[in-house]
Amino acid sequence: MLKYLHIENIAVIEQSNIDFTNGFNLLTGETGAGKSIIIDAINAVLGERTSKELIRNGAEKATVCAQFDCLTEDVMNALSENGLSPDENGELYISRVLSLEGKGSIKINGIPVTAAVLREIGKLLITIHGQHDNQNLLNPDMHIFYVDRVAENEKLLDDYLQEYRRFKEIRKEIASLETDEDEKARKTDYLKFQINELETADIKVGEFDELKEKIAIARSFEHNLKLLSKATAVFSGSEGESGVIDGVDSVKNLLLSTKLKEYDNDISSLEEILLKIRDIASHIENFISNDEFSSENLDKMTERLDLLRRVMLKYGDSEEKLLQTLSEARAELDKITFSDERIEELEEQLSQSQERLIAKANALTASRQKAAKDFEKKVCEILSFLNMPDVKFVVEFKKGKYTRLGCDEVQFLISANAGENAKPLSKIASGGELSRVMLAIQNVLLNKNEVPTLIFDEIDAGISGRAADKVGNVLKNVAGSHQVICITHLAQIAANADTHFLIEKTTSGGRTFTNLTKLSYEGRIHELARIMSGADITENMYNSAKELLDRRS
């Protein structure tokens, strides 16, 4: 339930705090006073898209905060799935800041969240009914969703949708295999060429970089050979001259000849030095004698590197991608080669899937048609109460194409007058009739609606007199199981409220301000009288307003 709403710098509202109550909450005020801004603010705090135009002129940012209590199980689950939780009092506090710079922020119980997360949770907290819902009634494509809600078809729809997707995937795979023979031959030739080229290339992961490194060494081999030959001469000696190895060995032998123990450690060190020097000398000699870096081998390595570059340009920029391309080409060739067998297998699967799909669609249809009968009856009962005594409300079913929603085409038909055939809502319903039909539908859906707070914006469009009086009674009934927040221009509806807020617009210092006041009993009488009579409130009008309010209390 929406317990508290704080609005700051939203349009003409500089600052306002609203303490909502259980039951029927009402907002009234003159046209242009700012009633719709309250709805805009609530939409913002529920995560809906907003515009910078909402920010009050002269302000850098705007803030909307909302506090909710009596959280439903659905809300608790959604919070948990997003790593969130109520506060220690079991309440939820949502704040949203809008900025001219576009750097707004959203927090739930102090934790930053995205607008998407807020929308997911917000739709479980409040449902707003307004002119948009009436537009849905005029769109036959939306009618099936109302019927599914009445029928509680979530499980049937989910089962059907899974089968529908499976059926579409099988049919898509069959279509991809059913190519003509010329196309199949062309693809086969290309894939064989591709596979042969990649298999011939004998791709090995890491070879490309290794080749580049070896080629770099080979290209500087002649220069390095001269340097290394000199190093070998230093180690081993040349032209009758002894080298470093002989010199160190001679020193070691001389120290041995002294037989002095104080040179034992030095002798061991020299032996280790000789071992290391000989290892280095051997490494150099092996490199010098290695023909891997010869000019002939350099040509082979360059050719191999060029080959790899060519296939990489055609099939992928790394050895891993080349091997992946090879694997995919082999798989596709197998698919074409054995396509006839695979098509036969898939067609059997498609036939089985089609049988399941038809059965699940029929189950959906049966569920919808069964629910529709009770739906029609209850909607007609409420519409009759709402001053449409001769109304006929019909849920029409036609068999259509199989879609994500089954094979039903559903449309609401209505006849508002005796002796007339029921026709589509969009062709005959007036604005007032649409509002009453929507209210009747929502009233029927009450037990299916787990959202605790319902907002009715302009539910009274096109309604007056006794019909308005009864709309107020229906809203009062709805408020028995849900928190209701309603904006209205009609005294008959306003008199049913448990809590009444007055929205007033004032001007000060060249600026426009909107103020919101919770009305006392006396304040409600004056406001009802104003709604009924306009600016001048006579004694008779005051008494009429008082009588209307007392009758509803």
Side-chain angles (χ1 to χ4, degrees):
M1 184 188 84
L2 178 58
K3 184 177 179 181
Y4 169 79
L5 184 69
H6 169 79
I7 303 171
E8 190 174 330
N9 291 328
I10 296 286
V12 293
I13 300 179
E14 183 177 44
Q15 184 167 316
S16 185
N17 300 303
I18 312 173
D19 291 302
F20 290 105
T21 63
N22 291 331
F24 193 171
N25 294 262
L26 191 84
L27 303 173
T28 62
E30 293 184 356
T31 301
K35 298 185 293 296
S36 62
I37 298 169
I38 304 294
I39 303 299
D40 289 338
I42 291 174
N43 269 318
V45 87
L46 295 178
E48 297 301 324
R49 292 185 180 277
T50 59
S51 167
K52 294 177 184 178
E53 300 300 319
L54 270 181
I55 300 174
R56 182 175 171 81
N57 187 33
E60 294 296 321
K61 63 180 183 178
T63 304
V64 186
C65 303
Q67 186 177 3
F68 297 86
D69 62 4
C70 303
L71 306 180
T72 65
E73 184 179 349
D74 287 342
V75 173
M76 296 293 285
N77 290 337
L79 289 173
S80 178
E81 288 169 6
N82 288 283
L84 302 165
S85 62
D87 65 13
E88 62 274 10
N89 298 317
E91 296 182 341
L92 203 62
Y93 187 83
I94 300 174
S95 65
R96 185 169 187 181
V97 177
L98 310 177
S99 170
L100 286 177
E101 298 177 353
K103 297 179 181 178
S105 68
I106 300 172
K107 292 182 180 179
I108 296 180
N109 283 354
I111 298 175
V113 299
T114 63
V117 169
L118 180 56
R119 277 195 299 275
E120 178 188 344
I121 295 169
K123 69 184 180 182
L124 302 173
L125 294 167
I126 294 178
T127 298
I128 298 178
H129 302 290
Q131 289 301 306
H132 174 70
D133 295 283
N134 287 355
Q135 293 305 312
N136 283 344
L137 276 182
L138 295 174
N139 180 4
D141 292 339
M142 300 301 295
H143 295 174
I144 195 169
F145 295 102
Y146 291 108
V147 176
D148 279 332
R149 280 180 63 191
V150 174
E152 297 181 338
N153 279 338
E154 292 84 358
K155 179 67 169 58
L156 288 176
L157 276 168
D158 185 59
D159 288 346
Y160 170 83
L161 184 57
Q162 288 185 39
E163 193 62 52
Y164 178 76
R165 287 170 175 162
R166 189 180 298 116
F167 180 83
K168 297 276 282 186
E169 286 169 3
I170 296 171
R171 196 162 65 176
K172 182 180 179 181
E173 186 175 350
I174 290 174
S176 71
L177 292 173
E178 288 180 332
T179 56
D180 61 46
E181 292 303 316
D182 288 343
E183 176 67 10
K184 190 181 291 186
R186 187 193 66 78
K187 276 190 175 181
T188 299
D189 288 344
Y190 173 72
L191 288 168
K192 285 181 177 179
F193 170 80
Q194 192 178 48
I195 291 168
N196 179 65
E197 189 170 20
L198 287 168
E199 285 179 342
T200 303
D202 191 23
I203 309 299
K204 298 179 183 65
V205 175
E207 184 186 11
F208 187 79
D209 289 336
E210 184 181 341
L211 279 172
K212 288 197 294 184
E213 186 178 334
K214 286 183 176 180
I215 288 171
I217 293 172
R219 283 176 176 163
S220 59
F221 185 73
E222 292 300 325
H223 172 71
N224 290 331
L225 185 62
K226 294 177 182 179
L227 299 176
L228 293 172
S229 296
K230 289 181 180 180
T232 299
V234 171
F235 279 142
S236 303
S238 61
E239 297 179 1
E241 295 183 3
S242 61
V244 170
I245 294 174
D246 290 338
V248 173
D249 193 45
S250 296
V251 172
K252 182 198 75 171
N253 291 329
L254 290 170
L255 294 178
L256 279 170
S257 298
T258 64
K259 297 181 180 181
L260 296 173
K261 290 185 178 181
E262 65 182 283
Y263 291 115
D264 286 353
N265 289 338
D266 295 331
I267 292 167
S268 295
S269 296
L270 288 171
E271 288 175 343
E272 290 177 5
I273 290 169
L274 278 170
L275 283 173
K276 288 182 180 180
I277 291 174
R278 286 185 176 120
D279 283 344
I280 294 169
S282 175
H283 186 211
I284 293 172
E285 287 171 0
N286 288 337
F287 183 82
I288 291 172
S289 60
N290 188 357
D291 64 356
E292 182 179 9
F293 302 110
S294 66
S295 58
E296 182 181 344
N297 229 34
L298 173 61
D299 291 340
K300 290 180 181 178
M301 289 189 292
T302 302
E303 286 177 11
R304 175 65 178 168
L305 188 65
D306 288 342
L307 171 64
L308 291 178
R309 282 197 175 107
R310 285 197 302 275
V311 293
M312 282 181 176
L313 281 172
K314 293 173 70 174
Y315 304 118
D317 57 5
S318 68
E319 287 110 330
E320 290 84 357
K321 288 183 179 179
L322 294 177
L323 292 172
Q324 181 182 350
T325 301
L326 176 59
S327 175
E328 291 172 353
R330 286 169 174 163
E332 191 172 355
L333 182 60
D334 285 344
K335 189 175 178 181
I336 293 174
T337 303
F338 302 104
S339 60
D340 291 340
E341 292 91 334
R342 178 59 178 161
I343 288 173
E344 187 176 339
E345 179 185 336
L346 287 170
E347 283 178 341
E348 176 61 26
Q349 291 180 18
L350 187 69
S351 176
Q352 294 172 1
S353 178
Q354 184 174 340
E355 289 180 11
R356 293 192 299 268
L357 189 71
I358 292 171
K360 292 177 188 293
N362 289 340
L364 260 178
T365 299
S367 175
R368 285 166 176 161
Q369 290 179 343
K370 180 181 178 182
K373 294 300 180 185
D374 188 52
F375 184 45
E376 290 171 345
K377 180 182 175 182
K378 289 181 177 178
V379 168
C380 284
E381 287 173 354
I382 298 170
L383 288 176
S384 179
F385 175 76
L386 293 174
N387 267 29
M388 296 176 70
D390 298 316
V391 71
K392 281 196 296 185
F393 178 80
V394 179
V395 181
E396 180 186 66
F397 284 85
K398 289 182 180 178
K399 189 173 180 65
K401 295 179 179 179
Y402 285 83
T403 69
R404 296 168 60 86
L405 298 173
C407 61
D408 298 316
E409 292 179 0
V410 177
Q411 182 172 203
F412 296 160
L413 308 180
I414 191 171
S415 168
N417 302 303
E420 293 183 359
N421 294 327
K423 296 179 181 179
L425 275 171
S426 58
K427 293 185 178 180
I428 64 169
S430 66
E433 288 168 340
L434 275 178
S435 294
R436 279 178 279 180
V437 172
M438 174 53 70
L439 183 57
I441 289 174
Q442 294 302 336
N443 200 64
V444 174
L445 290 173
L446 271 183
N447 294 331
K448 319 292 182 184
N449 195 340
E450 298 298 327
V451 178
T453 299
L454 306 177
I455 296 179
F456 293 92
D457 182 19
E458 299 184 33
I459 195 67
D460 55 12
I463 297 173
S464 60
R466 291 182 61 196
D469 189 50
K470 292 182 176 182
V471 166
N473 289 334
V474 172
L475 288 172
K476 183 76 171 179
N477 178 60
V478 172
S481 58
H482 292 69
Q483 181 190 38
V484 170
I485 300 171
C486 180
I487 293 176
T488 187
H489 301 279
L490 298 178
Q492 295 95 324
I493 293 177
N496 287 276
D498 298 309
T499 306
H500 190 157
F501 297 96
L502 173 63
I503 302 174
E504 295 178 290
K505 183 167 65 175
T506 61
T507 304
S508 176
R511 298 294 305 278
T512 301
F513 297 85
T514 288
N515 301 310
L516 190 141
T517 307
K518 183 178 179 180
L519 294 178
S520 63
Y521 170 75
E522 188 66 28
R524 291 189 68 184
I525 295 173
H526 277 89
E527 176 60 6
L528 291 180
R530 180 198 68 78
I531 294 173
M532 294 163 67
S533 66
D536 297 325
I537 302 174
T538 64
E539 183 178 353
N540 286 339
M541 194 56 67
Y542 175 89
N543 290 332
S544 296
K546 184 177 185 303
E547 180 184 355
L548 180 63
L549 182 60
D550 290 343
R551 198 166 66 239
R552 296 293 189 274
S553 300

